[in-house]
Amino acid sequence: MLLIALTGMVQVLTEHWRQGSALLGGSLLVAAVLRGVLPPQRAGLLAIRGRVVDVICYTGFGIAVLLLALTITRGSLTVG
């Protein structure tokens, strides 16, 4: 999961916004699955609150980031 997020950040930093954002959203969805299936002792830093709350938050944020990635149409960010 961390490798997916790191790859997404590298994509964003190299101006591949859509691919990088999609990878970041995907890593949040992977985190949701891992939080749902791993026992509390193995969840580590994925366990912030209760299991249900964590899975809902990770899933919601992952879907939101993926939907935002679909709306990115330009190759680079410009001001003005």
Side-chain angles (χ1 to χ4, degrees), residues 22-58:
L23 284 171
L24 289 172
S27 70
L28 285 167
L29 293 176
V30 170
V33 170
L34 289 175
R35 178 62 176 116
V37 299
L38 290 176
Q41 304 88 331
R42 300 276 305 174
L45 292 176
L46 291 175
I48 299 170
R49 292 180 176 82
R51 181 181 298 218
V52 173
V53 174
D54 285 342
V55 170
I56 289 171
C57 288
Y58 287 134

